[in-house]
Amino acid sequence: MHLGLGAFHRAHQAWYTAHAADADDWGIVAFTGRSRDLADRLTPQDGLFTLVERTADGDRVELIPSIVRVEAGDDVPAFVAAVADPKVAILTLTITEAGYRLAADGTPDLEDAAVASDVDLLRSALTGDAPGCATDAARPATALGRVLLALDARRRAGGGPIALVPCDNLPDNGGLLRRALADLAERTSPDLPAWLRASVSVVSTSIDRITPAIDAEAESHAVLEATGWLDAAPVVTEPFSDWVLEGDFPSGRPVWEFAGATFVDEITPWENRKLWMLNGAHTVLATFGQTRGHTVVSEAIDDPVCRVLVEGLWDDDARQLPGFDLADYRGALVERFRNPRIEHRLAQIAQDSTTKARLRIVPVALGERAAGREAPGCAAAIAAWMLGVRAGTAPTPEGIDPAVVAELDVSTRRALLATLDPRLAADAGFAERVAEAVTALDILNTSRSPTIHGATP
């Protein structure tokens, strides 16, 4: 099963399942986030869709058959029934970083009205005199609320153990999901916490495949021209793909390693490499590249100023990733970013950029400062984000008055830093490096000079 059906799931987990050695033994029941649009387009196609691998030189087209049923994410009873089905062995999730609705400490954000409402709803549904009936009527608003409700239905139905596999760009995504569900269960049910510990395995993952937003009508026409078949929901992606997993699958899994997946005992270095380097660079390019008139990643990475920002961030990242030889990885990232036929739009990537900067840039900055180093690449990356916030190419963080961002004075920079991490806001040396980078980038944006801090890519 999958929750959060979109282009990435189809380019990644659905593709790996279609290419598994035992692909004929597995099928995916996929639920959208909340919109019914993709369900309406894929259901008449029996879940079949076209995957277009787009290189700089041409396209490779493939029909992916691994999704066997598509449901709308707002159909909570169907989702609960599917998770409770003992034939379901795995639930993968792509609900975006913000979709977990976690507080800064990684627990469910009880200040979030939807989370607080779900806690009350679940407590009533799972502890009432007739929990089964109450569960049937419950409609949690959050993704994790729906997952917990469904897991309780599986417990009551004797559905057996299940693996949860989060596939979002969160560090320790498996640990975060495990702890968040445990916290919600402790607040809402006397019986569910012990069952979760005994019967639910949460697998940590590092996922990678650039899958841009597309003009579905134009791509459908291109697929029709190339293949002769009409597809209302094609997916365009790059040839590169990567999936690293750590954890157990108590009810079995597809042989994904046949398709190139890697299973490891310790995933943290792998997820950090991807999260800090690929996703961190994307955040810099998205928030700052738009201030320089760029609209897609391939344009921004060829801008010398953007390229220097990315290379500087990667230099800091490398010092926090001592177990990797990163030269080839850095080169491959640049090659992937420069593919002009993958129109990865900066405006799309810039969404939720405050959360993304917290996850992708802040940990490296803190690590470098703890090691006694200046973290110039991280400081410049955060300065680039601030300039994006000022320009409106990055969303203004919650709690910050948009009117004061225009000046980016000392107090505003400190407030913006505090939204990322209070420790950085309190670090006078780091704050000064950020201030210097803001000034330098501002000058470069005015002059369109191709250098920063005397460096060139």
Side-chain angles (χ1 to χ4, degrees):
M1 271 189 65
H2 182 75
L3 176 62
L5 177 64
F8 181 75
H9 168 70
R10 292 186 289 149
H12 195 269
Q13 300 101 61
W15 179 87
Y16 276 95
T17 301
H19 287 263
D22 54 350
D24 290 344
D25 297 333
W26 294 88
I28 300 169
V29 177
F31 284 75
T32 65
R34 284 202 173 274
S35 169
R36 307 184 74 91
D37 173 63
L38 198 52
D40 291 342
R41 285 188 283 146
L42 281 173
T43 296
Q45 301 178 182
D46 295 325
L48 290 168
F49 65 92
T50 308
L51 188 77
V52 181
E53 289 188 356
R54 181 151 293 167
T55 72
D57 301 320
D59 291 343
R60 177 179 178 271
V61 177
E62 178 183 7
L63 198 63
I64 304 296
S66 52
I67 295 177
V68 297
R69 195 173 98 224
V70 182
E71 301 282 358
D74 60 2
D75 191 342
V76 176
F79 178 74
V80 169
V83 173
D85 188 334
K87 294 191 293 293
V88 171
I90 301 164
L91 171 61
T92 56
L93 300 94
T94 50
I95 58 176
T96 77
E97 295 97 321
Y100 289 82
R101 296 176 180 262
L102 303 178
D105 62 358
T107 60
D109 184 2
L110 298 179
E111 298 297 316
D112 183 315
V115 174
S117 176
D118 274 4
V119 168
D120 291 340
L121 182 151
L122 289 167
R123 186 182 295 121
S124 175
L126 304 184
T127 61
D129 293 333
C133 296
T135 296
D136 292 342
R139 299 292 186 274
T142 67
L144 295 194
R146 298 199 296 276
V147 169
L148 194 73
L149 184 73
L151 289 173
D152 187 70
R154 186 179 181 95
R155 175 187 68 84
R156 289 185 289 102
I162 188 172
L164 306 186
V165 186
C167 298
D168 290 292
N169 287 316
L170 287 161
D172 187 27
N173 53 18
L176 280 174
L177 179 59
R178 182 186 308 108
R179 292 187 292 272
L181 289 174
D183 185 285
L184 287 174
E186 291 287 351
R187 294 176 185 278
T188 57
S189 169
D191 304 314
L192 189 53
W195 184 84
L196 291 180
R197 290 190 294 270
S199 300
V200 177
S201 172
V202 185
V203 177
S204 291
T205 67
S206 172
I207 46 89
D208 191 2
R209 195 170 205 184
I210 296 172
T211 306
I214 61 171
D215 181 331
E217 184 176 347
E219 294 297 343
S220 293
H221 179 74
V223 168
L224 180 62
E225 289 289 313
T227 66
W229 65 69
L230 180 62
D231 185 347
V235 176
V236 174
T237 191
E238 64 174 337
F240 179 91
S241 66
D242 190 47
W243 198 7
V244 185
L245 305 95
E246 173 203 325
D248 299 322
F249 291 81
S251 295
R253 62 168 176 81
V255 185
W256 285 318
E257 54 265 64
F258 187 78
T262 302
F263 291 83
V264 298
D265 295 327
E266 175 54 60
I267 200 170
T268 301
W270 299 87
E271 64 184 7
N272 286 345
R273 184 185 70 164
K274 190 263 178 174
L275 192 68
W276 297 346
M277 298 188 70
L278 183 143
N279 298 120
H282 269 172
T283 297
V284 171
L285 295 173
T287 56
F288 186 68
Q290 291 184 87
T291 72
R292 293 177 64 79
H294 306 306
T295 59
V296 293
V297 169
S298 58
E299 294 173 358
I301 195 62
D302 278 341
D303 179 327
V305 174
C306 293
R307 177 70 176 274
V308 168
L309 284 169
V310 167
E311 295 285 358
L313 179 62
W314 286 348
D315 288 343
D316 283 0
D317 292 341
R319 287 186 285 271
Q320 294 295 311
L321 294 167
F324 290 100
D325 181 356
L326 295 171
D328 289 344
Y329 186 73
R330 288 172 70 150
L333 285 178
V334 171
E335 182 179 355
R336 294 167 64 194
F337 289 173
R338 295 186 71 190
N339 183 347
R341 300 186 68 244
I342 291 289
E343 293 190 0
H344 206 175
R345 299 202 166 272
L346 301 179
Q348 175 194 11
I349 302 168
Q351 295 173 7
D352 300 321
S353 58
T354 303
T355 299
K356 291 173 179 176
R358 287 187 193 123
L359 299 172
R360 302 170 178 186
I361 300 170
V362 168
V364 178
L366 292 173
E368 285 294 279
R369 296 299 287 166
R373 294 186 286 266
E374 293 188 342
C378 293
I382 289 173
W385 166 74
M386 288 182 178
L387 290 168
V389 171
R390 186 181 71 180
T393 60
T396 303
E398 187 175 346
I400 299 292
D401 182 356
V404 307
V405 174
E407 298 302 323
L408 276 187
D409 57 16
V410 173
S411 62
T412 303
R413 292 196 303 270
R414 185 181 300 114
L416 287 170
L417 269 177
T419 67
L420 298 182
D421 193 285
R423 291 168 291 182
L424 292 182
D427 183 337
F430 186 78
E432 181 60 28
R433 289 305 301 253
V434 172
E436 293 170 356
V438 166
T439 299
L441 290 171
D442 233 353
I443 293 170
L444 290 169
N445 261 3
T446 302
S447 66
R448 290 295 189 263
S449 169
T451 62
I452 177 172
H453 299 312
T456 56

CSV table of all heavy atoms in Angstrom, one decimal, residues 416-453:
chain,number,residue,atom,x,y,z
A,416,LEU,N,15.0,35.7,11.8
A,416,LEU,CA,14.9,34.6,10.8
A,416,LEU,C,15.8,33.4,11.2
A,416,LEU,O,15.4,32.3,11.0
A,416,LEU,CB,15.4,35.2,9.4
A,416,LEU,CG,14.4,36.1,8.7
A,416,LEU,CD1,15.0,36.8,7.6
A,416,LEU,CD2,13.2,35.3,8.3
A,417,LEU,N,17.0,33.7,11.7
A,417,LEU,CA,17.9,32.6,12.2
A,417,LEU,C,17.2,31.8,13.3
A,417,LEU,O,17.3,30.6,13.3
A,417,LEU,CB,19.2,33.2,12.7
A,417,LEU,CG,20.4,33.3,11.7
A,417,LEU,CD1,21.6,34.0,12.4
A,417,LEU,CD2,20.8,32.0,11.1
A,418,ALA,N,16.5,32.5,14.2
A,418,ALA,CA,15.8,31.8,15.3
A,418,ALA,C,14.7,30.9,14.8
A,418,ALA,O,14.5,29.9,15.4
A,418,ALA,CB,15.2,32.8,16.2
A,419,THR,N,14.1,31.2,13.6
A,419,THR,CA,13.1,30.3,13.1
A,419,THR,C,13.7,29.0,12.6
A,419,THR,O,13.1,28.0,12.5
A,419,THR,CB,12.3,31.0,11.9
A,419,THR,OG1,13.1,31.2,10.8
A,419,THR,CG2,11.6,32.2,12.4
A,420,LEU,N,15.0,29.1,12.2
A,420,LEU,CA,15.7,27.9,11.8
A,420,LEU,C,16.3,27.1,13.0
A,420,LEU,O,16.1,25.9,13.1
A,420,LEU,CB,16.9,28.3,10.8
A,420,LEU,CG,16.5,29.0,9.5
A,420,LEU,CD1,17.8,29.2,8.7
A,420,LEU,CD2,15.5,28.1,8.7
A,421,ASP,N,16.9,27.8,13.9
A,421,ASP,CA,17.5,27.2,15.1
A,421,ASP,C,17.9,28.3,16.1
A,421,ASP,O,18.8,29.1,15.7
A,421,ASP,CB,18.6,26.3,14.8
A,421,ASP,CG,19.0,25.3,15.9
A,421,ASP,OD1,19.6,25.8,16.9
A,421,ASP,OD2,18.7,24.2,15.9
A,422,PRO,N,17.4,28.3,17.3
A,422,PRO,CA,17.8,29.3,18.3
A,422,PRO,C,19.3,29.3,18.5
A,422,PRO,O,19.9,30.4,18.9
A,422,PRO,CB,17.0,28.9,19.5
A,422,PRO,CG,15.9,28.1,19.0
A,422,PRO,CD,16.4,27.4,17.8
A,423,ARG,N,20.0,28.2,18.4
A,423,ARG,CA,21.4,28.1,18.7
A,423,ARG,C,22.2,28.9,17.7
A,423,ARG,O,23.2,29.6,18.0
A,423,ARG,CB,21.9,26.7,18.7
A,423,ARG,CG,21.4,25.9,19.9
A,423,ARG,CD,21.6,24.4,19.7
A,423,ARG,NE,20.8,23.8,18.7
A,423,ARG,CZ,20.8,22.5,18.3
A,423,ARG,NH1,21.6,21.7,18.9
A,423,ARG,NH2,19.9,22.1,17.4
A,424,LEU,N,21.8,28.9,16.4
A,424,LEU,CA,22.4,29.7,15.4
A,424,LEU,C,22.2,31.2,15.6
A,424,LEU,O,23.0,32.0,15.4
A,424,LEU,CB,21.9,29.3,14.0
A,424,LEU,CG,22.3,27.9,13.5
A,424,LEU,CD1,21.8,27.7,12.1
A,424,LEU,CD2,23.9,27.7,13.6
A,425,ALA,N,20.9,31.5,16.1
A,425,ALA,CA,20.6,32.9,16.3
A,425,ALA,C,21.5,33.5,17.5
A,425,ALA,O,21.8,34.7,17.5
A,425,ALA,CB,19.1,33.1,16.7
A,426,ALA,N,21.8,32.6,18.4
A,426,ALA,CA,22.6,33.0,19.6
A,426,ALA,C,24.1,33.0,19.3
A,426,ALA,O,24.9,33.4,20.2
A,426,ALA,CB,22.3,32.1,20.8
A,427,ASP,N,24.5,32.5,18.2
A,427,ASP,CA,25.9,32.4,17.8
A,427,ASP,C,26.4,33.6,17.1
A,427,ASP,O,26.1,33.8,15.9
A,427,ASP,CB,26.1,31.1,16.9
A,427,ASP,CG,27.6,30.8,16.6
A,427,ASP,OD1,28.4,31.8,16.6
A,427,ASP,OD2,27.9,29.7,16.2
A,428,ALA,N,27.0,34.5,17.8
A,428,ALA,CA,27.3,35.8,17.3
A,428,ALA,C,28.3,35.7,16.1
A,428,ALA,O,28.1,36.4,15.1
A,428,ALA,CB,28.0,36.7,18.3
A,429,GLY,N,29.2,34.8,16.1
A,429,GLY,CA,30.2,34.6,15.0
A,429,GLY,C,29.5,34.1,13.8
A,429,GLY,O,29.8,34.6,12.7
A,430,PHE,N,28.6,33.2,13.9
A,430,PHE,CA,27.9,32.7,12.7
A,430,PHE,C,26.9,33.8,12.2
A,430,PHE,O,26.9,33.9,11.0
A,430,PHE,CB,27.1,31.4,13.1
A,430,PHE,CG,26.4,30.8,11.9
A,430,PHE,CD1,27.2,30.0,11.0
A,430,PHE,CD2,25.1,30.9,11.7
A,430,PHE,CE1,26.6,29.4,9.9
A,430,PHE,CE2,24.5,30.3,10.6
A,430,PHE,CZ,25.2,29.6,9.7
A,431,ALA,N,26.3,34.5,13.1
A,431,ALA,CA,25.4,35.5,12.6
A,431,ALA,C,26.1,36.6,11.8
A,431,ALA,O,25.6,37.1,10.9
A,431,ALA,CB,24.7,36.2,13.8
A,432,GLU,N,27.4,36.9,12.2
A,432,GLU,CA,28.2,37.8,11.5
A,432,GLU,C,28.5,37.3,10.1
A,432,GLU,O,28.5,38.1,9.1
A,432,GLU,CB,29.5,38.2,12.3
A,432,GLU,CG,30.4,39.2,11.6
A,432,GLU,CD,29.7,40.5,11.4
A,432,GLU,OE1,28.8,40.9,12.2
A,432,GLU,OE2,30.0,41.2,10.5
A,433,ARG,N,28.8,36.0,10.0
A,433,ARG,CA,29.1,35.5,8.7
A,433,ARG,C,27.9,35.5,7.8
A,433,ARG,O,28.0,35.8,6.6
A,433,ARG,CB,29.6,34.0,8.8
A,433,ARG,CG,30.9,33.8,9.4
A,433,ARG,CD,32.0,34.5,8.7
A,433,ARG,NE,32.1,34.2,7.3
A,433,ARG,CZ,33.1,33.4,6.7
A,433,ARG,NH1,34.1,33.0,7.5
A,433,ARG,NH2,33.1,33.2,5.4
A,434,VAL,N,26.7,35.3,8.4
A,434,VAL,CA,25.5,35.4,7.6
A,434,VAL,C,25.3,36.8,7.1
A,434,VAL,O,25.0,37.1,5.9
A,434,VAL,CB,24.3,34.9,8.4
A,434,VAL,CG1,23.0,35.2,7.7
A,434,VAL,CG2,24.4,33.4,8.7
A,435,ALA,N,25.5,37.8,8.0
A,435,ALA,CA,25.4,39.2,7.6
A,435,ALA,C,26.3,39.6,6.5
A,435,ALA,O,25.9,40.3,5.6
A,435,ALA,CB,25.6,40.1,8.9
A,436,GLU,N,27.6,39.1,6.6
A,436,GLU,CA,28.5,39.4,5.5
A,436,GLU,C,28.0,38.8,4.2
A,436,GLU,O,28.2,39.4,3.1
A,436,GLU,CB,29.9,38.8,5.9
A,436,GLU,CG,30.5,39.5,7.1
A,436,GLU,CD,31.8,38.8,7.5
A,436,GLU,OE1,32.1,37.7,7.0
A,436,GLU,OE2,32.5,39.3,8.5
A,437,ALA,N,27.5,37.6,4.2
A,437,ALA,CA,27.1,36.9,3.0
A,437,ALA,C,25.8,37.6,2.4
A,437,ALA,O,25.7,37.8,1.2
A,437,ALA,CB,26.8,35.5,3.3
A,438,VAL,N,24.9,38.1,3.3
A,438,VAL,CA,23.8,38.9,2.8
A,438,VAL,C,24.2,40.1,2.0
A,438,VAL,O,23.7,40.4,0.9
A,438,VAL,CB,22.8,39.3,4.0
A,438,VAL,CG1,21.8,40.3,3.5
A,438,VAL,CG2,22.1,38.0,4.5
A,439,THR,N,25.2,40.8,2.6
A,439,THR,CA,25.7,42.0,2.0
A,439,THR,C,26.3,41.7,0.6
A,439,THR,O,26.1,42.3,-0.4
A,439,THR,CB,26.7,42.7,2.9
A,439,THR,OG1,26.0,43.1,4.1
A,439,THR,CG2,27.2,44.0,2.2
A,440,ALA,N,27.2,40.7,0.6
A,440,ALA,CA,27.9,40.3,-0.6
A,440,ALA,C,26.9,39.8,-1.7
A,440,ALA,O,27.1,40.2,-2.9
A,440,ALA,CB,28.9,39.2,-0.3
A,441,LEU,N,25.9,39.0,-1.3
A,441,LEU,CA,25.0,38.5,-2.3
A,441,LEU,C,24.1,39.6,-2.8
A,441,LEU,O,23.7,39.6,-4.0
A,441,LEU,CB,24.1,37.4,-1.7
A,441,LEU,CG,24.9,36.1,-1.4
A,441,LEU,CD1,24.0,35.1,-0.6
A,441,LEU,CD2,25.3,35.4,-2.7
A,442,ASP,N,23.7,40.5,-1.9
A,442,ASP,CA,23.0,41.7,-2.4
A,442,ASP,C,23.7,42.5,-3.4
A,442,ASP,O,23.1,42.9,-4.4
A,442,ASP,CB,22.7,42.6,-1.1
A,442,ASP,CG,21.2,42.9,-1.0
A,442,ASP,OD1,20.4,42.5,-1.9
A,442,ASP,OD2,20.8,43.5,0.0
A,443,ILE,N,25.0,42.7,-3.2
A,443,ILE,CA,25.8,43.5,-4.2
A,443,ILE,C,25.9,42.7,-5.5
A,443,ILE,O,25.7,43.3,-6.6
A,443,ILE,CB,27.2,43.7,-3.6
A,443,ILE,CG1,27.1,44.7,-2.4
A,443,ILE,CG2,28.1,44.3,-4.7
A,443,ILE,CD1,28.4,44.8,-1.7
A,444,LEU,N,26.1,41.4,-5.4
A,444,LEU,CA,26.2,40.6,-6.6
A,444,LEU,C,24.9,40.6,-7.4
A,444,LEU,O,24.9,40.6,-8.6
A,444,LEU,CB,26.6,39.1,-6.2
A,444,LEU,CG,28.0,38.9,-5.7
A,444,LEU,CD1,28.2,37.6,-5.1
A,444,LEU,CD2,29.0,39.2,-6.8
A,445,ASN,N,23.8,40.5,-6.7
A,445,ASN,CA,22.5,40.6,-7.3
A,445,ASN,C,22.3,41.9,-8.1
A,445,ASN,O,21.6,42.0,-9.1
A,445,ASN,CB,21.3,40.3,-6.3
A,445,ASN,CG,20.9,38.9,-6.4
A,445,ASN,OD1,21.4,38.1,-7.1
A,445,ASN,ND2,19.8,38.6,-5.6
A,446,THR,N,22.8,42.9,-7.5
A,446,THR,CA,22.7,44.3,-8.1
A,446,THR,C,23.6,44.4,-9.3
A,446,THR,O,23.1,44.9,-10.4
A,446,THR,CB,23.0,45.4,-7.1
A,446,THR,OG1,22.2,45.3,-6.0
A,446,THR,CG2,22.9,46.7,-7.7
A,447,SER,N,24.8,43.9,-9.2
A,447,SER,CA,25.8,44.0,-10.3
A,447,SER,C,25.7,42.9,-11.3
A,447,SER,O,26.3,42.9,-12.3
A,447,SER,CB,27.2,44.1,-9.7
A,447,SER,OG,27.5,42.9,-9.1
A,448,ARG,N,25.1,41.7,-10.8
A,448,ARG,CA,25.2,40.5,-11.6
A,448,ARG,C,26.6,40.0,-11.8
A,448,ARG,O,26.9,39.4,-12.8
A,448,ARG,CB,24.4,40.6,-12.9
A,448,ARG,CG,22.9,40.7,-12.8
A,448,ARG,CD,22.4,39.4,-12.2
A,448,ARG,NE,20.9,39.4,-12.2
A,448,ARG,CZ,20.1,39.7,-11.2
A,448,ARG,NH1,20.6,40.1,-10.1
A,448,ARG,NH2,18.8,39.6,-11.3
A,449,SER,N,27.5,40.3,-10.8
A,449,SER,CA,28.9,39.8,-10.9
A,449,SER,C,28.9,38.3,-10.7
A,449,SER,O,28.1,37.7,-10.0
A,449,SER,CB,29.7,40.5,-9.7
A,449,SER,OG,30.9,39.9,-9.6
A,450,PRO,N,29.9,37.7,-11.4
A,450,PRO,CA,30.0,36.2,-11.4
A,450,PRO,C,30.8,35.7,-10.2
A,450,PRO,O,31.2,34.5,-10.3
A,450,PRO,CB,30.6,35.8,-12.7
A,450,PRO,CG,31.5,37.0,-13.0
A,450,PRO,CD,30.8,38.2,-12.4
A,451,THR,N,31.2,36.4,-9.2
A,451,THR,CA,32.0,35.9,-8.2
A,451,THR,C,31.5,36.3,-6.8
A,451,THR,O,30.7,37.2,-6.6
A,451,THR,CB,33.5,36.5,-8.2
A,451,THR,OG1,33.4,37.9,-8.1
A,451,THR,CG2,34.1,36.2,-9.5
A,452,ILE,N,31.8,35.5,-5.8
A,452,ILE,CA,31.5,35.7,-4.4
A,452,ILE,C,32.6,35.4,-3.5
A,452,ILE,O,33.2,34.3,-3.7
A,452,ILE,CB,30.2,34.9,-4.0
A,452,ILE,CG1,29.9,35.1,-2.6
A,452,ILE,CG2,30.4,33.4,-4.3
A,452,ILE,CD1,28.6,34.5,-2.1
A,453,HIS,N,33.0,36.3,-2.6
A,453,HIS,CA,34.1,36.1,-1.7
A,453,HIS,C,35.4,35.7,-2.5
A,453,HIS,O,36.2,34.9,-2.0
A,453,HIS,CB,33.8,35.0,-0.7
A,453,HIS,CG,32.7,35.3,0.2
A,453,HIS,ND1,32.5,36.5,0.8
A,453,HIS,CD2,31.5,34.6,0.6
A,453,HIS,CE1,31.4,36.5,1.6
A,453,HIS,NE2,30.8,35.4,1.4
